[in-house]
Amino acid sequence: MATSRDQLGTLEAEGSSGHRGSSGVEVVLSSDPATPAPLCPHGPTLLFVKVNQGKEETRRFYACSACRDRKDCNFFQWEDEKLSGARLAAREAHNRSCQPPLSQSQCVERYLKFIELPLSQRKFCQSCQQLLLPDDEEKHHEHPVVGDVSITQLKRPSKLLYPLENKKTNAQYLFADRSCLFLVDLLSNLGFRRVLCVGTPRLHELIRLNESGGKKSNIRSLLLDIDFRYSQFYMEDSFCHYNMFNHHFFDGKAALEVCRTFLQEDKGEGVVMVADPPFGGLVEPLAVTFKKLIAMWKEGHSQDNSQKELPIFWIFPYFFESRICQFFPSFCMLDYQVDYDNHALYKHGKTGRKQSPVRIFTNIPPNKIILPIEEGYRFCPLCQRYVSLENQHCEHCNSCTSKDGRKWNHCFLCKKCVKPSWTHCSICNHCALPDHSCEGPKDGCFICGELDHKRSTCPNISTSKKVNKAVRKQKQRKSNKMKMETTKGQSMNHTSVTRKKKRRERTHQYLCS
């Protein structure tokens, strides 16, 4: 599953610097575990903070882990906000109303009935994206319906279902067959017997097709995906409705145990995880989730194997390399370009900025991974890995330096290779695009402005928090005093109510900034 590929320029800026411009929203990973995060329809929320360069830390808030656009999930709550029992009850009712109409076990029961129907009675509603049993047809008689749904179609649900199109939440750009076949062959050649597919429905389908067809791969797979529609097509041991941004299993402990059993089978041997997260998602919560899956896998190991790593393929844009390696230092980026079936621009074989920016990050040694020579990949004997044809070995850097498939040039002033479109700027003293702004935003600490560290490690962060807390308390006292005065006198007039409403609406725009 991938997202926001029409805004890759923005994502590239976020991936390289960690924030956009001079302000941004950061996820807070060090929240108190004793205080559980409030729930939204997508499971536990995440704690965020809006930061501005050179300013103190602002008030922290909870928001949806999966949706960046409040139109998709409008959950918002200040970290220190106290909710009444009525509001909590209303929120719980809303969360229940947003859940899928059927549980996984109910979907399995319907599926088993569906496949027993004669071909002429097997129908699929395109409007509701639902398999129909004979008793359902009357409710859908005005909807467009596909008839004669074959077993072959049931084995390829990603071709039967409409891809979700909201790019900020869970837009589905599905692997092209070229990339799927490459991954299946690669996993088979590396000797893996089980694949945990996190947000990769096409790969899951192809593995199951090969398994049922008796092909040589003989690999089993388990799909974890936030798209609940897939629960109509798989048994409980093949699919779990799952949010990868907060490690939330929507069907509770039963689904969690399915995943645990799958990872720990054969004492954890022969299993690999392949993940294709939405590109618009934050790297930090994804890394936390993947580490929880790694910990789950390690539970089935003896202490003698405690140093072993769960083999992982993380599929993401190349410009997030530094962020991913920050959390997983053992990862390296392969040159292989992953392409998608239903995206018009980013495909393998195109040139320049239109080629696919999607790569594979893995902790498997790159010298064990053979890339297809017929697609233009070659083996570099100096780097001991396969690289793209244009990725030339630089004798000064002593590596094949290109990240995006083009030939990069070595800058002797920067002492590194840079993109071919970049030139050295004597004012900035580093390479950049010719039309860049020399006074543009720079990386560094959002609290003190220094460039040698980030906000999270700033020595002034404790002082900043104390000052910020004192200011909040002072504002709270003033607010309480005003409320008391208002209670004694007349009620709050319409103008103040409108002003308060507008202020809350502006506050809710933090996630969209």
Side-chain angles (χ1 to χ4, degrees):
M1 184 173 66
T3 188
S4 294
R5 289 178 172 80
D6 293 328
Q7 300 174 350
L8 280 170
T10 301
L11 291 175
E12 184 166 3
E14 292 178 353
S16 59
S17 67
H19 55 80
R20 190 171 65 194
S22 59
S23 65
V25 174
E26 293 183 357
V27 65
V28 181
L29 299 177
S30 57
S31 57
D32 185 5
T35 306
L39 301 177
C40 76
H42 302 92
T45 54
L46 295 180
L47 185 61
F48 294 91
V49 60
K50 185 174 176 85
V51 289
N52 296 281
Q53 194 155 9
K55 296 184 179 181
E56 297 169 357
E57 182 176 318
T58 57
R59 200 173 175 186
R60 305 198 297 189
F61 59 92
Y62 289 102
C64 180
S65 63
C67 303
R68 295 181 69 180
D69 194 330
R70 292 194 63 251
K71 293 179 181 178
D72 302 305
C73 183
N74 63 0
F75 185 97
F76 183 94
Q77 179 183 321
W78 293 116
E79 182 188 21
D80 54 2
E81 184 178 1
K82 302 298 181 184
L83 302 184
S84 65
R87 282 189 64 188
L88 289 172
R91 175 182 292 172
E92 187 176 344
H94 172 71
N95 290 346
R96 285 198 302 268
S97 69
C98 294
Q99 298 309 306
L102 300 174
S103 67
Q104 176 74 22
S105 58
Q106 289 173 319
C107 287
V108 169
E109 186 178 345
R110 285 175 57 88
Y111 178 75
L112 293 175
K113 291 179 180 178
F114 187 88
I115 59 177
E116 291 178 353
L117 294 172
L119 182 63
S120 60
Q121 294 184 28
R122 291 194 212 131
K123 298 178 181 179
F124 177 79
C125 177
Q126 292 180 315
S127 294
C128 303
Q129 296 286 279
Q130 179 183 338
L131 296 175
L132 301 181
L133 294 176
D135 294 341
D136 304 324
E137 292 183 21
E138 187 176 346
K139 301 175 185 177
H140 302 264
H141 71 277
E142 294 183 353
H143 297 174
V145 173
V146 175
D148 299 338
V149 178
S150 66
I151 297 298
T152 301
Q153 287 175 294
L154 292 175
K155 290 182 178 179
R156 299 299 304 267
S158 69
K159 293 182 178 290
L160 195 60
L161 297 168
Y162 288 138
L164 300 176
E165 295 180 348
N166 190 314
K167 294 175 183 176
K168 288 187 178 180
T169 306
N170 50 6
Q172 291 174 320
Y173 294 108
L174 303 163
F175 287 150
D177 285 344
R178 162 193 165 267
S179 293
C180 253
L181 290 168
F182 165 75
L183 285 169
V184 171
D185 288 342
L186 175 62
L187 298 173
S188 177
N189 292 334
L190 291 172
F192 294 112
R193 301 184 297 276
R194 302 188 310 286
V195 183
L196 184 66
C197 296
V198 184
T200 60
R202 276 277 169 89
L203 179 63
H204 179 61
E205 289 174 6
L206 191 59
I207 291 173
R208 287 177 58 82
L209 279 172
N210 287 351
E211 180 188 9
S212 61
K215 295 188 178 181
K216 63 177 182 178
S217 63
N218 196 25
I219 302 176
R220 293 188 294 112
S221 62
L222 170 64
L223 174 63
L224 309 183
D225 203 286
I226 199 169
D227 187 353
F228 69 89
R229 299 177 302 171
Y230 284 105
S231 60
Q232 301 176 84
F233 302 90
Y234 296 117
M235 308 295 284
E236 291 100 327
D237 61 351
S238 299
F239 172 77
C240 296
H241 188 200
Y242 178 75
N243 182 353
M244 72 176 79
F245 288 101
N246 56 10
H247 189 55
H248 177 66
F249 290 87
F250 290 88
D251 289 307
K253 291 184 178 180
L256 175 64
E257 288 306 314
V258 168
C259 182
R260 189 193 308 277
T261 301
F262 186 85
L263 286 172
Q264 296 181 4
E265 185 179 326
D266 294 335
K267 296 183 178 180
E269 294 296 325
V271 66
V272 60
M273 184 177 85
V274 181
D276 183 27
F279 293 174
L282 296 170
V283 171
E284 290 86 347
L286 288 170
V288 170
T289 288
F290 295 162
K291 287 182 178 180
K292 289 180 179 178
L293 289 170
I294 292 170
M296 188 187 297
W297 169 76
K298 280 188 174 181
E299 290 174 6
H301 279 182
S302 63
Q303 292 186 350
D304 297 336
N305 294 327
S306 59
Q307 301 301 317
K308 294 185 67 176
E309 289 186 323
L310 171 67
I312 296 175
F313 288 102
W314 181 345
I315 297 166
F316 227 46
Y318 70 84
F319 40 78
F320 282 96
E321 180 182 18
S322 61
R323 306 289 301 283
I324 291 175
C325 292
Q326 176 185 347
F327 290 95
F328 297 99
S330 63
F331 277 30
C332 67
M333 187 180 78
L334 306 180
D335 271 25
Y336 184 82
Q337 292 183 20
V338 181
D339 60 347
Y340 295 82
D341 225 9
N342 52 333
H343 196 282
L345 294 179
Y346 299 105
K347 290 184 180 294
H348 172 74
K350 291 182 177 288
T351 58
R353 296 285 293 184
K354 291 186 178 181
Q355 63 186 327
S356 174
V358 191
R359 301 292 184 270
I360 299 173
F361 297 87
T362 182
N363 53 0
I364 297 173
N367 59 358
K368 294 184 177 181
I369 299 175
I370 301 174
L371 303 186
I373 298 174
E374 63 275 11
E375 293 184 8
Y377 298 101
R378 60 179 182 82
F379 186 77
C380 175
L382 298 175
C383 292
Q384 285 293 296
R385 69 182 183 99
Y386 278 83
V387 297
S388 61
L389 195 60
E390 295 295 321
N391 192 358
Q392 300 297 315
H393 192 90
C394 175
E395 60 181 8
H396 306 288
C397 298
N398 193 29
S399 67
C400 293
T401 52
S402 173
K403 306 292 184 183
D404 61 6
R406 297 177 291 173
K407 184 181 182 299
W408 285 23
N409 303 320
H410 188 83
C411 175
F412 291 94
L413 296 174
C414 292
K415 297 181 180 179
K416 65 178 182 179
C417 287
V418 298
K419 296 179 179 180
S421 55
W422 288 15
T423 57
H424 194 85
C425 176
S426 58
I427 299 174
C428 299
N429 197 29
H430 64 75
C431 288
L433 288 169
D435 59 348
H436 76 284
S437 173
C438 295
E439 297 180 357
K442 297 179 179 180
D443 295 347
C445 177
F446 274 47
I447 294 176
C448 66
E450 296 295 330
L451 301 178
D452 59 346
H453 62 269
K454 296 291 185 182
R455 181 191 65 82
S456 57
T457 57
C458 180
N460 298 325
I461 192 168
S462 58
T463 304
S464 173
K465 286 181 178 180
K466 288 178 181 177
V467 172
N468 199 41
K469 187 176 182 180
V471 170
R472 288 204 305 270
K473 283 186 176 180
Q474 185 177 2
K475 288 182 178 179
Q476 187 66 40
R477 283 196 295 269
K478 285 184 178 181
S479 176
N480 292 339
K481 185 177 180 181
M482 290 177 63
K483 287 179 180 178
M484 290 176 65
E485 291 175 353
T486 303
T487 304
K488 290 178 182 178
Q490 60 183 4
S491 61
M492 189 179 295
N493 60 36
H494 177 71
T495 304
S496 63
V497 172
T498 304
R499 188 182 299 115
K500 184 177 180 181
K501 182 179 179 181
K502 288 183 177 179
R503 186 162 59 247
R504 178 173 285 275
E505 288 176 351
R506 286 197 302 270
T507 304
H508 284 188
Q509 298 303 317
Y510 273 114
L511 272 182
C512 301
S513 61

